Amino acid sequence: MNFVQPIRDPEKIEAIKRFLKEQNKRNYMLFLIGINTGLRISDILKLKVGDVKGTHISIREKKTGKQKRIRITPSLRRELNWYIEGKSDDEYLIKSRNGRNKPIGRSMAYKILRKVAERFHLDEIGTHTLRKTFGYHFYQQTKDVAMLQEIFNHSSPTITLKYIGVNQDSMDRAMTKFKI
């Protein structure tokens, strides 16, 4: 079974960002929003320009129906500012080229990530990769599993650690040292 994993290597993340920024600004923003907010792909795709103009993104999560408020990081703010310049508040951020004002679909988001995975030799990539990448790096920087659990609306710290692959990292390290 293939399990979607976070992108752990910060240098690879930077390389992906550079590549996407050169190739396609919309896909770059999809990636950036995902790794900087931890939002699910279904919530990213429904964002409009007006949703990201303030200091926070306020949404009702599609999956849980819960209200969520996420602070926009300074680096994401800088990138959003040039991206949304001249766009109207009701325009979708991750807009499809088909139709007047429609977001890309989940399957197109998956295709974008698959192309990135092929280009950068990544396995186990899916639409949850962006959310898991955010969670993995948030945890590595803060070690605050309780905060991450709340951000992700998980029911326990164990679920959160398993979700972001930290338990897998620990098991991998233990197995590397193990011998009989």
Side-chain angles (χ1 to χ4, degrees):
M1 175 145 189
N2 235 359
F3 294 100
V4 175
Q5 293 294 311
I7 304 168
R8 291 173 169 81
D9 182 354
E11 289 177 15
K12 197 160 271 198
I13 291 170
E14 288 306 312
I16 292 168
K17 285 170 25 179
R18 281 191 303 275
F19 170 75
L20 285 172
K21 194 170 186 177
E22 287 172 15
Q23 297 296 310
N24 185 303
K25 307 280 189 263
R26 178 200 68 192
N27 298 351
Y28 170 68
M29 289 311 300
L30 171 70
F31 186 78
L32 264 195
I33 292 167
I35 66 170
N36 281 285
T37 64
L39 288 172
R40 289 180 185 87
I41 201 79
S42 56
D43 293 324
I44 294 170
L45 296 180
K46 70 179 186 181
L47 288 174
K48 293 188 174 183
V49 170
D51 297 328
V52 298
K53 282 195 167 173
T55 57
H56 292 76
I57 297 171
S58 293
I59 60 158
R60 182 164 302 281
E61 288 184 316
K62 189 173 176 183
K63 181 179 179 182
T64 66
K66 293 179 182 175
Q67 194 64 31
K68 184 168 208 124
R69 189 171 144 87
I70 300 127
R71 180 141 185 108
I72 298 172
T73 65
S75 61
L76 181 57
R77 170 85 280 141
R78 279 191 302 278
E79 296 303 297
L80 280 168
N81 284 345
W82 67 258
Y83 182 72
I84 65 174
E85 194 175 330
K87 294 182 178 173
S88 64
D89 284 2
D90 67 335
E91 191 174 326
Y92 281 99
L93 271 183
I94 313 300
K95 198 162 111 175
S96 172
R97 287 188 268 266
N98 304 329
R100 277 194 103 99
N101 184 27
K102 291 185 172 150
I104 65 170
R106 190 182 179 92
S107 62
M108 177 55 84
Y110 178 76
K111 286 177 190 168
I112 292 164
L113 292 173
R114 287 299 322 151
K115 283 184 181 171
V116 167
E118 285 172 26
R119 173 88 162 74
F120 290 92
H121 311 289
L122 298 168
D123 295 326
E124 303 167 325
I125 297 295
T127 55
H128 275 274
T129 297
L130 304 179
R131 182 170 161 88
K132 288 184 177 193
T133 299
F134 164 83
Y136 181 83
H137 291 278
F138 183 91
Y139 179 74
Q140 293 303 326
Q141 289 176 35
T142 67
K143 298 297 186 210
D144 192 342
V145 70
M147 177 78 67
L148 189 56
Q149 175 190 340
E150 190 167 328
I151 290 169
F152 280 168
N153 277 324
H154 285 165
S155 57
S156 77
T158 307
I159 289 170
T160 300
L161 291 173
K162 186 175 183 178
Y163 182 78
I164 63 173
V166 171
N167 292 354
Q168 187 65 53
D169 284 353
S170 298
M171 288 187 291
D172 291 350
R173 276 193 302 279
M175 290 304 287
T176 302
K177 296 172 187 166
F178 177 78
K179 70 177 186 182
I180 296 180

